[in-house]
Amino acid sequence: MRGEQFVKSLNDGRKIWLDGALVSNLPKHQAFKGTLETLQRLFNMLDVPGVRETIGFVPPGGSKFAHASFLVPYTPQDLLKRRTSFDCWARETNGMMSRISDYGRSMITGWYAARKQLGLLDPHFESKITNYYKEARDRDLFLTTAILDPQIDRSNGLDDSRINERFLHIIKETSDGIVVRGAKMIATGAPYTHDFIIFSFLNFEAKDSKHAHILLVPAHSDGLHIICRESFASQRPQDHILSSRYEEMDAVLFFDDVFIPWERVLLYGNPDNVLKLRGNKTANSLAFHQTVVRFVSKLEFVTGVAFAIAESIGVQGFLHIQEKLGELITQIDVMKALVIASETMARPDESGVLVPEISFIDTARNIGTKYYPRAIEILQQVGGGGFVQVPSSMEDFYGPISNLMHLYFEGTSVSAEKKVQLFKLAWDLIGSPLGSRHELYERFYAGDPVRAYASQYVKFEKELLVDPVWKLLKESSKEGG
Ligand SMILES: Cc1cc2nc3c(=O)[nH]c(=O)nc-3n(C[C@H](O)[C@H](O)[C@H](O)COP(=O)(O)OP(=O)(O)OC[C@H]3O[C@@H](n4cnc5c(N)ncnc54)[C@H](O)[C@@H]3O)c2cc1C
């Protein structure tokens, strides 16, 4: 099945650095094993009759199911199919895995869908993206993005030589391709990816053209180093349910003179064109749509845990607890409504591709940066000290103090064992290294939230709201009479 093929394909000589050493056998390594089992299960779903129809589609002229993130939507049914597919994988992982390739795949699908307009940026773009889209779709490529530049000195630009040298740039051009040097941060899911979608983040001036690029870089490229943060994977699934199966890993990428063949160089050397491709509405709407669908699942999961915690210790009847649990429900409803609004208000682009309305998606992504930390805060308020009143290991239930464990950990309506399991699960959301990483992720994954909110204001057609104010004032003033 394709899950097994996927896992095998990752032993391709990629250079993954963890704890000061190169990872020699990724699928067997303790830090990656649990997550790979999860990913294998997700990939295998595309081979299961009755399930593959929900998450996949058969491309025109093909015979094998492809993931629906590769479906170019022309009708509301197509958009619904994409949502159902995202939702299915998100539910399978409780919304806790964000970069399981459907985001990166959607971006490629968007560029492919808009290839005619985008072809105006470069004469080779259309054929390159068409070939790559088909390859990624038919070979089930796992894709992730790395966009940001290293945090050296955010107050300075490329005129600072330290920054100029370290931000990813082209050092050589040959008849076969280009050679790039520099670093990128952050690539979530980096150890599991086949290709990185790499693009420059800042709006560069023409003089900085060597820094402008949009590239598709194989993870096993010579000279590419994947530097992992500390692993949060746990080998004790009974104590750390989430950390043992959903550790996506985040990494920094070092490009120590990496050769990239022309067919994988989508654009380079023209900052304006790179900016246009990066800002392409079709690709962004399709990709960001996935992020919000996934987020709904995560909010539902956190809310489910909060409800269960409240009931397990008998606090669900208190007014302030009900108010907080009600707030979690409003979060879910607002997010769901924004997804539905983005689909209902979808409009065809110049090529007839049905594009979810991005303003609703932007709003959802922005509010999400505040909703998730608040949801975690509510979970803490509901459970109180219960999160740290659990034993270090579930093994205590099977040892010499078993009878005392069952006696003192009993809950309102659940057994002691179930209650401890539940609080351990909740701790993996609110207190474990994985849980803290998730809070950081939801604050920042969609970019700097401060600038993202500000950009909603800057882009907004302000006359729509301001004109009626002037009209009213004019009507009510003597001068306007
Ligand atoms: C867990 C996690 C996973 C991620 N995964 C991915 C991924 O898979 N792919 C990917 O491409 N990216 C990923 N990101 C990166 C994410 O896109 C960035 O973290 C985000 O865009 C913010 O950029 P930064 O981290 O460089 O923060 P900075 O830009 O360095 O900001 C730090 C602080 O300084 C402020 N600041 C900095 N510059 C300015 C300015 N010019 N004006 C005003 N305020 C400023 C910011 O508001 C912020 O408070 C991930 C991030 C996290 C935390």
Side-chain angles (χ1 to χ4, degrees):
M1 289 175 88
R2 61 185 104 184
E4 283 75 29
Q5 285 166 14
F6 161 68
V7 173
K8 262 194 215 144
S9 73
L10 302 178
N11 257 345
D12 58 1
R14 59 189 58 207
K15 285 168 216 68
I16 300 174
W17 292 92
L18 180 73
D19 296 334
L22 260 183
V23 172
S24 58
N25 188 341
L26 183 76
K28 295 249 155 46
H29 196 290
Q30 298 284 24
F32 307 104
K33 212 165 146 283
T35 301
L36 280 172
E37 281 165 15
T38 305
L39 293 175
Q40 181 172 319
R41 193 161 45 79
L42 297 181
F43 270 60
N44 278 346
M45 289 170 79
L46 264 178
D47 288 329
V48 179
V51 179
R52 62 190 179 189
E53 291 77 4
T54 308
I55 58 167
F57 73 111
V58 179
S63 55
K64 202 177 110 184
F65 275 82
H67 192 265
S69 48
F70 287 116
L71 178 67
V72 178
Y74 291 103
T75 63
Q77 289 72 26
D78 291 341
L79 268 188
L80 183 63
K81 169 117 205 158
R82 289 179 59 86
R83 190 224 295 174
T84 311
S85 168
F86 301 148
D87 186 54
C88 182
W89 269 12
R91 276 176 199 287
E92 280 293 312
T93 49
N94 307 105
M96 296 292 290
M97 292 185 78
S98 52
R99 296 291 158 99
I100 40 185
S101 85
D102 37 7
Y103 170 76
R105 290 169 171 184
S106 294
M107 192 155 275
I108 294 298
T109 303
W111 286 338
Y112 167 73
R115 64 195 177 282
K116 292 273 181 261
Q117 306 97 280
L118 294 173
L120 300 175
L121 302 177
D122 182 287
H124 304 292
F125 179 81
E126 193 177 338
S127 63
K128 284 183 191 176
I129 194 66
T130 301
N131 292 338
Y132 185 74
Y133 161 80
K134 289 185 178 161
E135 182 189 346
R137 181 192 68 192
D138 299 340
R139 289 185 49 218
D140 297 308
L141 292 189
F142 191 108
L143 309 174
T144 196
T145 57
I147 302 165
L148 269 281
D149 302 298
Q151 274 177 323
I152 296 168
D153 178 351
R154 288 286 189 248
S155 65
N156 257 339
L158 291 177
D159 290 339
D160 178 332
S161 62
R162 289 174 314 161
I163 292 179
N164 201 299
E165 283 163 21
R166 286 161 206 176
F167 281 18
L168 192 68
H169 60 284
I170 295 157
I171 56 162
K172 196 166 137 193
E173 198 178 315
T174 73
S175 55
D176 297 326
I178 57 173
V179 178
V180 293
R181 182 182 295 172
K184 279 282 171 190
M185 66 166 250
I186 304 163
T188 297
Y192 318 112
T193 203
H194 289 119
D195 289 336
F196 293 103
I197 304 171
I198 303 284
F199 44 98
S200 35
F201 176 68
L202 295 175
N203 304 338
F204 296 124
E205 294 173 39
K207 70 178 173 54
D208 298 316
S209 59
K210 68 175 181 173
H211 284 86
H213 51 257
I214 299 200
L215 313 169
L216 305 165
V217 184
H220 61 72
S221 300
D222 273 349
L224 179 61
H225 297 272
I226 300 170
I227 318 299
C228 296
R229 62 154 162 74
E230 181 186 348
S231 168
F232 305 145
S234 166
Q235 276 83 64
R236 289 161 49 197
Q238 68 282 22
D239 292 310
H240 313 121
I241 299 176
L242 305 177
S243 302
S244 60
R245 60 179 77 182
Y246 300 146
E247 156 62 314
E248 284 193 281
M249 185 51 82
D250 308 288
V252 173
L253 307 179
F254 294 167
F255 295 76
D256 191 21
D257 298 0
V258 175
F259 169 74
I260 301 164
W262 284 121
E263 63 268 22
R264 296 297 189 99
V265 180
L266 290 184
L267 283 184
Y268 85 111
N270 184 327
D272 283 346
N273 284 350
V274 167
L275 192 63
K276 282 184 191 141
L277 185 58
R278 231 189 70 200
N280 178 257
K281 215 168 163 182
T282 305
N284 288 343
S285 295
L286 294 185
F288 298 165
H289 180 226
Q290 182 275 333
T291 63
V292 185
V293 174
R294 192 268 319 162
F295 188 64
V296 170
S297 282
K298 193 170 188 177
L299 284 183
E300 287 180 338
F301 180 58
V302 174
T303 303
V305 172
F307 286 3
I309 291 274
E311 285 162 20
S312 76
I313 55 172
V315 298
Q316 77 277 24
F318 298 129
L319 179 64
H320 89 90
I321 299 287
Q322 290 177 346
E323 181 240 6
K324 289 180 176 61
L325 297 179
E327 187 180 334
L328 292 178
I329 297 170
T330 62
Q331 285 196 349
I332 295 170
D333 277 355
V334 169
M335 282 295 151
K336 277 188 181 166
L338 287 166
V339 171
I340 294 168
S342 76
E343 294 165 1
T344 312
M345 301 294 282
R347 296 281 173 268
D349 72 1
E350 294 95 315
S351 310
V353 180
L354 195 59
V355 180
E357 173 51 50
I358 197 145
S359 63
F360 293 116
I361 296 178
D362 281 345
T363 297
R365 281 157 54 93
N366 281 345
I367 324 177
T369 65
K370 298 192 176 179
Y371 272 13
Y372 192 74
R374 174 67 183 144
I376 293 301
E377 185 182 23
I378 290 176
L379 190 49
Q380 288 183 1
Q381 287 166 332
V382 171
F387 301 110
V388 288
Q389 289 173 41
V390 288
S392 58
S393 166
M394 292 300 292
E395 288 304 311
D396 288 331
F397 278 101
Y398 314 109
I401 53 162
S402 169
N403 59 333
L404 297 177
M405 293 293 294
H406 285 282
L407 180 69
Y408 290 118
F409 277 113
E410 198 182 25
T412 311
S413 53
V414 287
S415 69
E417 204 172 331
K418 277 272 163 297
K419 191 179 121 199
V420 169
Q421 255 190 327
L422 175 64
F423 272 82
K424 277 179 173 287
L425 170 66
W427 181 251
D428 225 357
L429 279 172
I430 66 164
S432 73
L434 187 92
S436 307
R437 180 262 174 206
H438 272 268
E439 191 172 332
L440 190 69
Y441 181 85
E442 298 302 348
R443 282 183 201 275
F444 278 106
Y445 86 91
D448 172 12
V450 174
R451 279 172 280 169
Y453 262 97
S455 127
Q456 279 202 296
Y457 166 72
V458 172
K459 286 189 299 191
F460 194 78
E461 278 183 61
K462 297 164 201 65
E463 301 75 33
L464 288 176
L465 303 185
V466 177
D467 286 355
V469 177
W470 291 124
K471 186 166 168 273
L472 177 67
L473 290 179
K474 194 173 170 193
E475 281 164 7
S476 60
S477 74
K478 284 187 196 152
E479 148 197 4

